[in-house]
Amino acid sequence: MTNKNSKGLGRGIEALFKDNDVNNDDEAVVDLDLTKISPNPYQPRKKFDQKALDDLTKSIEESGVFQPIIVRHDTDKNRYQIIAGERRFRASKAATKTKIPAIVRDATEEQMMEIAVMENLQREDLNPLEEAQAYDTLMTKLNLTQAQVSERLGKSRPYIANYLRLLGLPQPVKEMLQRKQLSMGQARALLSVKEKSQLLSLAAKAKDETLTVRQLEKLIAKANKSNSTKNKRPTKRTKSPYIKESEDQLQDKFGTKVLINETNTKAGKGQIQIDYMSTDDLNRILDLLDIHLD
């Protein structure tokens, strides 16, 4: 069975150069001065694993660089930008090398951006916020929809939507996630907190008490129920199983809280309320509804 999530990433970086009609076996490898090379400006990874970098540095000190990096000419033709291979570039500098083997290719801004995301996703070493920001960058800079990003990278739309929603978290919670004090599962659970003033305290409790995702979900459910009880009108009707199931289905589709309020049960009238966490989250929901504003 083919894994859907591997479809786009499985095609590899070479697929992005299919229009260049380049035979990789015939490409020349040249030694470039490290001082003339700059990192990929669209590199989504902001932090590199220091131990892994140290290990690579030691290997390069002893044996050199076996796999050439890929670069393109910068606007200044005497300089180059990395397309793929920033870890080798950084490790070579740390190993006090002066040159690095490289292949020079033509690449568009779009290819640079997509390759930077793809290369890191293949290694699965982006933290959740870096991954979310990478998807957002592709959508913003290349004017892509979630569906187009999904198709290009071989990720499902709900998968990408769940990551994009992380961008709507308060900055202190993002920092906890960045420092690995919260997991992706805990961050996703926190998105369901109804009373946003409680979100930070629940996040801090999860961090300080090292709660599991399940334990945090139970706390959030209890807090949401308590707030709902305080605000509930005495005459509020119990929702029918059909309405509850409809809410669940809509929540799965939109990846956020959805409420269906029956305003006139006899006439079958009501309202659908869809929560969103930020402008980006609103745009994500509009995209799911195929609504595109000029």
Side-chain angles (χ1 to χ4, degrees):
M1 181 179 293
T2 301
N3 184 347
K4 180 179 180 182
N5 283 351
S6 68
K7 181 178 65 172
L9 297 179
R11 62 183 177 164
I13 291 172
E14 300 304 326
L16 295 176
F17 292 98
K18 60 182 181 293
D19 296 332
N20 291 357
D21 194 23
V22 172
N23 184 337
N24 297 334
D25 295 334
D26 295 336
E27 286 185 309
V29 177
V30 296
D31 286 331
L32 297 179
D33 289 338
L34 287 169
T35 57
K36 293 184 177 181
I37 300 173
S38 302
N40 187 327
Y42 303 111
Q43 167 67 261
R45 183 172 39 171
K46 305 306 178 186
K47 294 185 179 180
F48 290 76
D49 185 294
Q50 192 57 50
K51 183 180 184 306
L53 202 56
D54 291 342
D55 290 342
L56 182 56
T57 299
K58 184 177 180 180
S59 173
I60 289 175
E61 286 175 339
E62 296 174 353
S63 308
V65 177
F66 288 110
Q67 183 181 3
I69 64 173
I70 302 174
V71 300
R72 74 166 185 173
H73 280 292
D74 203 340
T75 50
D76 177 354
K77 292 298 182 181
N78 291 320
R79 291 193 57 79
Y80 304 87
Q81 286 181 327
I82 296 172
I83 295 176
E86 185 169 339
R87 287 180 68 253
R88 279 163 278 160
F89 167 72
R90 286 173 175 253
S92 294
K93 290 178 68 176
T96 66
K97 299 292 183 181
T98 58
K99 294 181 180 292
I100 190 170
I103 295 171
V104 182
R105 288 183 177 172
D106 292 328
T108 64
E109 294 292 314
E110 181 175 341
Q111 286 173 328
M112 287 279 286
M113 194 179 303
E114 190 171 353
I115 288 168
V117 174
M118 185 182 295
E119 183 191 21
N120 284 282
L121 288 176
Q122 283 179 327
R123 285 200 297 266
E124 298 181 344
D125 57 359
L126 294 180
N127 67 50
L129 277 179
E130 288 173 336
E131 187 168 344
Q133 191 59 60
Y135 296 142
D136 184 67
T137 298
L138 285 175
M139 293 174 64
T140 303
K141 299 295 185 182
L142 301 184
N143 197 28
L144 300 176
T145 64
Q146 275 190 34
Q148 289 169 324
V149 172
S150 170
E151 178 64 25
R152 289 194 182 201
L153 299 181
K155 300 284 187 180
S156 70
R157 288 180 68 177
Y159 177 94
I160 291 174
N162 282 330
Y163 273 86
L164 289 171
R165 291 181 66 216
L166 298 178
L167 299 177
L169 287 169
Q171 188 58 35
V173 179
K174 288 182 181 178
E175 291 173 2
M176 291 181 201
L177 184 59
Q178 190 99 22
R179 291 193 289 263
K180 298 183 178 180
Q181 296 169 330
L182 291 176
S183 68
M184 171 68 172
Q186 289 172 320
R188 285 186 59 186
L190 288 166
L191 288 166
S192 66
V193 175
K194 292 180 180 178
E195 187 59 53
K196 301 311 174 187
S197 62
Q198 297 178 327
L199 200 153
L200 287 178
S201 61
L202 286 167
K205 188 177 182 66
K207 175 179 72 79
D208 295 339
E209 299 181 17
T210 60
L211 300 178
T212 65
V213 174
R214 183 60 60 191
Q215 288 172 328
L216 178 58
E217 286 175 340
K218 288 182 178 179
L219 275 180
I220 292 171
K222 183 178 179 180
N224 287 344
K225 183 177 181 180
S226 175
N227 291 326
S228 178
T229 301
K230 290 177 183 178
N231 300 325
K232 187 171 64 173
R233 297 175 183 175
T235 57
K236 186 174 180 180
R237 288 166 43 87
T238 301
K239 292 182 179 179
S240 70
Y242 171 77
I243 294 297
K244 289 182 179 179
E245 177 63 22
S246 298
E247 286 182 336
D248 290 341
Q249 293 281 351
L250 288 170
Q251 286 176 173
D252 288 342
K253 177 177 178 60
F254 294 113
T256 189
K257 183 68 177 177
V258 177
L259 290 175
I260 299 177
N261 299 314
E262 298 174 282
T263 57
N264 189 328
T265 54
K266 290 184 178 180
K269 295 180 180 180
Q271 299 173 331
I272 298 177
Q273 176 183 317
I274 304 173
D275 288 359
Y276 62 91
M277 303 286 292
S278 64
T279 301
D280 286 337
D281 203 25
L282 174 59
N283 289 333
R284 175 185 67 81
I285 294 169
L286 292 175
D287 180 44
L288 289 172
L289 292 168
D290 289 327
I291 297 174
H292 305 285
L293 304 178
D294 295 329

